[in-house]
Amino acid sequence: MAKEKTIYVCTECGGTSAKWLGKCPSCGAWNTLIEQVAAPAAGAANNRFGTQFASLGGAAELATLSEIEAADVARAPTGMEELDRVLGGGIVDGGVTLIGGDPGIGKSTLLLQAADALQNMGRNALYVTGEESGAQVALRSRRLGLDRSQVQVLAEIQLEKIIATLDATRPTIAVIDSIQTVYSDQLTSAPGSVAQVRECAAHLTRFAKASGTAVVLVGHVTKEGALAGPRVLEHMVDTVLYFEGDTHSSFRLVRAIKNRFGAVNEIGVFAMTERGLKGVTNPSAIFLSQHAEPVPGSVVLVTLEGTRPMLVEIQALVDNGGPSPRRLSVGLDRDRLAMLLAVLHRHAGVACMDQDVFVNAVGGVRISEPAADLAVMLAITSSLRGKPLPKGFIAFGEVGLAGEVRPAPRGQERLREAAKLGFSVAVVPKANAPKKGAKEIEGLTIHAVERIEEALDIVRQMQ
């Protein structure tokens, strides 16, 4: 029997190579080429220029952009307010959503709850499980209190059978848990391989668009936290959601990385309970530590997650370091921390060269926006001097290398959120302060600054 021909496929981009290489020639990733059996080549029915295909189909009809009716997409609420916020208002007919996260973080739990809520609202839901049996899914539903759930369950991993079942039942939403377990008989590679994941996702996406069924794909993640499989998987789907948070904590964050029907970087906050995931209506409360009295090194930041202003406590600890002082940040960019320490030294005269500096965002939230700069610098200065900031103090703003304090987007919404939660003093960029003649924010004293030196002078007067 002739030996089957093998090729090497990159798990990151799907590029192929005839032999194993340490570095992928297509995307440059290291140690990502894996051996697979090559699929048989299709007949060369088409010539080099594709003239045969061109003669088979007529020209497509064109439409002028200004003449196309701009209609908003219809959405079906899932009954879970936090999930609807991340999705942009609910699921869209024919939309394809990819959700990833660490094992055991709650992906299957959340989707089973959402499917049951949709079923209770009269929308047919189908849960396709490839990793568990129907009995295991039923056991989870009993644990979540869904004793009378009418969600239909299909334990199958063959793509052709799944699509045939979907075509016969035409549910409103179909959950595929997970896409890495599904395989097609048209390919010889094993389930979970780059080719299988790409082709199965493409067929399910095509079915969703043609039938109007909303499809939710559950994806595994790699040890680096990225979705396993080819990168093209994220480009195929309409929405990409990531589960964030520590499995040892009771709180989970669901973040939208891509959304064709809503805002990106929108987050939903959930609490893991004995009855499953419950939405947190006031997420700022879980990211604020309850200090009886103000403590040094603690500053409250008003950050923006998607369209939601959220209050997060930034904590800093400055301690005597050795010959090689450490700079460590949790939830914030470490390189940006080193830059802020240099600006603090050069423009404000606060030196931490021989000090260990630790910065943490409370609650496990990750902050990527530069509007956290001012709060981080004030927290570091407060810890270094051992003097706490006054009670009810908040700050936000980006700090440049020249020491200027730049405005943050949607500053008025941030200030209103802080005032609503009882904060009374704010240090913000001058451009974010209410303009003359504008309505003052009740109960909030606002100090507008243009440079980091001004901010530190104002804080010294308060301490």
Side-chain angles (χ1 to χ4, degrees), residues 44-57:
N46 187 21
N47 63 10
R48 181 179 178 184
F49 299 101
T51 54
Q52 293 183 3
F53 285 148
S55 64
L56 294 177

PDB file of all heavy atoms in Angstrom, residues 44-57:
ATOM      1  N   ALA A  44      -7.974  19.150 -12.031  1.00  0.00           N
ATOM      2  CA  ALA A  44      -7.612  20.452 -12.588  1.00  0.00           C
ATOM      3  C   ALA A  44      -8.564  20.815 -13.714  1.00  0.00           C
ATOM      4  O   ALA A  44      -8.208  20.876 -14.890  1.00  0.00           O
ATOM      5  CB  ALA A  44      -6.167  20.423 -13.084  1.00  0.00           C
ATOM      6  N   ALA A  45      -9.823  20.981 -13.337  1.00  0.00           N
ATOM      7  CA  ALA A  45     -10.821  21.299 -14.354  1.00  0.00           C
ATOM      8  C   ALA A  45     -10.711  22.738 -14.815  1.00  0.00           C
ATOM      9  O   ALA A  45     -11.169  23.092 -15.885  1.00  0.00           O
ATOM     10  CB  ALA A  45     -12.229  21.043 -13.804  1.00  0.00           C
ATOM     11  N   ASN A  46     -10.096  23.547 -13.964  1.00  0.00           N
ATOM     12  CA  ASN A  46      -9.988  24.957 -14.312  1.00  0.00           C
ATOM     13  C   ASN A  46      -8.589  25.244 -14.842  1.00  0.00           C
ATOM     14  O   ASN A  46      -7.606  24.701 -14.351  1.00  0.00           O
ATOM     15  CB  ASN A  46     -10.257  25.808 -13.060  1.00  0.00           C
ATOM     16  CG  ASN A  46     -10.323  27.275 -13.397  1.00  0.00           C
ATOM     17  OD1 ASN A  46     -10.555  27.619 -14.553  1.00  0.00           O
ATOM     18  ND2 ASN A  46     -10.121  28.117 -12.393  1.00  0.00           N
ATOM     19  N   ASN A  47      -8.494  26.081 -15.842  1.00  0.00           N
ATOM     20  CA  ASN A  47      -7.172  26.421 -16.354  1.00  0.00           C
ATOM     21  C   ASN A  47      -6.593  27.566 -15.564  1.00  0.00           C
ATOM     22  O   ASN A  47      -7.179  28.045 -14.594  1.00  0.00           O
ATOM     23  CB  ASN A  47      -7.232  26.740 -17.854  1.00  0.00           C
ATOM     24  CG  ASN A  47      -8.091  27.961 -18.145  1.00  0.00           C
ATOM     25  OD1 ASN A  47      -8.488  28.666 -17.231  1.00  0.00           O
ATOM     26  ND2 ASN A  47      -8.369  28.184 -19.415  1.00  0.00           N
ATOM     27  N   ARG A  48      -5.462  28.051 -16.010  1.00  0.00           N
ATOM     28  CA  ARG A  48      -4.708  29.009 -15.214  1.00  0.00           C
ATOM     29  C   ARG A  48      -5.476  30.304 -14.974  1.00  0.00           C
ATOM     30  O   ARG A  48      -5.414  30.910 -13.923  1.00  0.00           O
ATOM     31  CB  ARG A  48      -3.393  29.308 -15.933  1.00  0.00           C
ATOM     32  CG  ARG A  48      -2.489  30.278 -15.184  1.00  0.00           C
ATOM     33  CD  ARG A  48      -1.212  30.493 -15.957  1.00  0.00           C
ATOM     34  NE  ARG A  48      -0.362  31.460 -15.278  1.00  0.00           N
ATOM     35  CZ  ARG A  48       0.785  31.874 -15.792  1.00  0.00           C
ATOM     36  NH1 ARG A  48       1.203  31.417 -16.974  1.00  0.00           N
ATOM     37  NH2 ARG A  48       1.511  32.750 -15.139  1.00  0.00           N
ATOM     38  N   PHE A  49      -6.235  30.758 -15.923  1.00  0.00           N
ATOM     39  CA  PHE A  49      -6.878  32.055 -15.817  1.00  0.00           C
ATOM     40  C   PHE A  49      -8.350  31.965 -15.415  1.00  0.00           C
ATOM     41  O   PHE A  49      -9.047  32.960 -15.353  1.00  0.00           O
ATOM     42  CB  PHE A  49      -6.753  32.818 -17.140  1.00  0.00           C
ATOM     43  CG  PHE A  49      -5.330  33.086 -17.525  1.00  0.00           C
ATOM     44  CD1 PHE A  49      -4.704  32.289 -18.475  1.00  0.00           C
ATOM     45  CD2 PHE A  49      -4.616  34.095 -16.922  1.00  0.00           C
ATOM     46  CE1 PHE A  49      -3.389  32.524 -18.826  1.00  0.00           C
ATOM     47  CE2 PHE A  49      -3.307  34.328 -17.280  1.00  0.00           C
ATOM     48  CZ  PHE A  49      -2.683  33.545 -18.235  1.00  0.00           C
ATOM     49  N   GLY A  50      -8.853  30.760 -15.187  1.00  0.00           N
ATOM     50  CA  GLY A  50     -10.218  30.614 -14.712  1.00  0.00           C
ATOM     51  C   GLY A  50     -11.266  30.943 -15.754  1.00  0.00           C
ATOM     52  O   GLY A  50     -12.380  31.335 -15.418  1.00  0.00           O
ATOM     53  N   THR A  51     -10.965  30.779 -17.037  1.00  0.00           N
ATOM     54  CA  THR A  51     -11.921  31.143 -18.084  1.00  0.00           C
ATOM     55  C   THR A  51     -13.113  30.206 -18.105  1.00  0.00           C
ATOM     56  O   THR A  51     -14.211  30.605 -18.472  1.00  0.00           O
ATOM     57  CB  THR A  51     -11.223  31.132 -19.443  1.00  0.00           C
ATOM     58  OG1 THR A  51     -10.601  29.858 -19.636  1.00  0.00           O
ATOM     59  CG2 THR A  51     -10.168  32.214 -19.496  1.00  0.00           C
ATOM     60  N   GLN A  52     -12.909  28.943 -17.683  1.00  0.00           N
ATOM     61  CA  GLN A  52     -14.022  28.006 -17.684  1.00  0.00           C
ATOM     62  C   GLN A  52     -15.073  28.408 -16.652  1.00  0.00           C
ATOM     63  O   GLN A  52     -16.268  28.360 -16.905  1.00  0.00           O
ATOM     64  CB  GLN A  52     -13.527  26.589 -17.412  1.00  0.00           C
ATOM     65  CG  GLN A  52     -12.661  26.023 -18.541  1.00  0.00           C
ATOM     66  CD  GLN A  52     -12.261  24.579 -18.266  1.00  0.00           C
ATOM     67  OE1 GLN A  52     -12.671  24.003 -17.283  1.00  0.00           O
ATOM     68  NE2 GLN A  52     -11.466  24.017 -19.148  1.00  0.00           N
ATOM     69  N   PHE A  53     -14.616  28.809 -15.433  1.00  0.00           N
ATOM     70  CA  PHE A  53     -15.557  29.238 -14.417  1.00  0.00           C
ATOM     71  C   PHE A  53     -16.264  30.520 -14.832  1.00  0.00           C
ATOM     72  O   PHE A  53     -17.428  30.730 -14.552  1.00  0.00           O
ATOM     73  CB  PHE A  53     -14.844  29.451 -13.071  1.00  0.00           C
ATOM     74  CG  PHE A  53     -14.493  28.164 -12.379  1.00  0.00           C
ATOM     75  CD1 PHE A  53     -13.359  28.076 -11.591  1.00  0.00           C
ATOM     76  CD2 PHE A  53     -15.297  27.054 -12.516  1.00  0.00           C
ATOM     77  CE1 PHE A  53     -13.037  26.896 -10.953  1.00  0.00           C
ATOM     78  CE2 PHE A  53     -14.984  25.866 -11.873  1.00  0.00           C
ATOM     79  CZ  PHE A  53     -13.853  25.790 -11.099  1.00  0.00           C
ATOM     80  N   ALA A  54     -15.544  31.399 -15.500  1.00  0.00           N
ATOM     81  CA  ALA A  54     -16.136  32.668 -15.917  1.00  0.00           C
ATOM     82  C   ALA A  54     -17.277  32.461 -16.900  1.00  0.00           C
ATOM     83  O   ALA A  54     -18.239  33.223 -16.926  1.00  0.00           O
ATOM     84  CB  ALA A  54     -15.060  33.564 -16.531  1.00  0.00           C
ATOM     85  N   SER A  55     -17.194  31.403 -17.705  1.00  0.00           N
ATOM     86  CA  SER A  55     -18.241  31.166 -18.697  1.00  0.00           C
ATOM     87  C   SER A  55     -19.464  30.477 -18.108  1.00  0.00           C
ATOM     88  O   SER A  55     -20.512  30.432 -18.739  1.00  0.00           O
ATOM     89  CB  SER A  55     -17.675  30.309 -19.840  1.00  0.00           C
ATOM     90  OG  SER A  55     -17.299  29.034 -19.344  1.00  0.00           O
ATOM     91  N   LEU A  56     -19.342  29.944 -16.877  1.00  0.00           N
ATOM     92  CA  LEU A  56     -20.448  29.202 -16.285  1.00  0.00           C
ATOM     93  C   LEU A  56     -21.458  30.114 -15.601  1.00  0.00           C
ATOM     94  O   LEU A  56     -22.628  29.766 -15.470  1.00  0.00           O
ATOM     95  CB  LEU A  56     -19.910  28.184 -15.268  1.00  0.00           C
ATOM     96  CG  LEU A  56     -19.071  27.045 -15.860  1.00  0.00           C
ATOM     97  CD1 LEU A  56     -18.552  26.156 -14.741  1.00  0.00           C
ATOM     98  CD2 LEU A  56     -19.900  26.220 -16.839  1.00  0.00           C
ATOM     99  N   GLY A  57     -21.033  31.239 -15.091  1.00  0.00           N
ATOM    100  CA  GLY A  57     -21.924  32.106 -14.334  1.00  0.00           C
ATOM    101  C   GLY A  57     -22.051  33.467 -14.976  1.00  0.00           C
ATOM    102  O   GLY A  57     -21.099  33.995 -15.550  1.00  0.00           O
TER     103      GLY A  57
END
